[in-house]
């Protein structure tokens, strides 16, 4: 997990503190408290197309699409959902094993 956090912080160091992409990094660090998520994100952060800035553009696109008058807002929950989809992470509270299908619980069939 610490390797993932280090990669996020390295990208944040190149950004203005409290800028939108920097804040995405803060939220991503919270998500990566889950070791499974941290492992997936760590690999993604090596790809420039998966940067904090690229992720933030997805959130901005959502905000622009849902703008009302001069007001655009993305709730933290919606932002988290967008971040999770961008990095291919399971939904909040969803078991990684259930999402990937790597473990079959035979009791589901009884």
């Amino acid at each position: 997990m610490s390797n993932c956090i280090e990669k996020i912080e390295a990208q944040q160091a190149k950004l203005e503190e409290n800028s939108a992409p920097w804040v995405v990094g803060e939220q991503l660090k919270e998500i990566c408290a889950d070791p499974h998520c941290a492992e997936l994100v760590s690999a993604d952060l090596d790809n420039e197309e998966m940067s904090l800035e690229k992720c933030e553009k997805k959130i901005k696109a959502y905000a622009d699409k849902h703008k009302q008058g001069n007001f655009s807002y993305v709730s933290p929950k919606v932002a988290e959902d967008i971040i999770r989809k961008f990095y291919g992470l399971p939904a909040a509270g969803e078991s990684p094993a259930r999402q990937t299908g790597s473990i079959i619980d035979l009791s589901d069939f009884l």
Side-chain angles (χ1 to χ4, degrees):
M1 175 173 61
S2 65
N3 186 34
C4 177
I5 302 301
E6 289 170 5
K7 288 180 180 182
I8 294 169
E9 289 176 346
Q11 286 192 24
Q12 284 180 306
K14 299 173 187 172
L15 302 167
E16 182 179 330
E17 188 170 340
N18 295 320
S19 66
W22 187 90
V23 172
V24 167
E26 291 299 292
Q27 196 163 7
L28 188 57
K29 286 191 275 188
E30 290 176 15
I31 293 169
C32 289
D34 175 336
H36 175 73
C37 290
E39 182 180 333
L40 293 172
V41 170
S42 183
D44 283 343
L45 290 174
D46 291 333
N47 178 348
E48 188 176 314
E49 292 301 310
M50 301 299 287
S51 70
L52 299 177
E53 290 174 304
K54 299 283 184 176
C55 183
E56 185 275 329
K57 287 181 181 184
K58 295 288 186 183
I59 297 169
K60 182 174 180 343
Y62 177 92
D64 290 346
K65 184 176 179 183
H66 294 88
K67 189 174 186 176
Q68 296 179 340
N70 291 330
F71 183 74
S72 72
Y73 173 77
V74 179
S75 73
K77 182 180 179 340
V78 170
E80 180 176 348
D81 290 344
I82 294 168
I83 292 168
R84 286 178 175 278
K85 285 178 185 160
F86 183 80
Y87 289 105
L89 305 174
E94 187 177 307
S95 167
R98 289 263 187 234
Q99 188 211 18
T100 62
S102 61
I103 297 177
I104 297 174
D105 184 349
L106 295 178
S107 67
D108 289 343
F109 298 99
L110 299 176

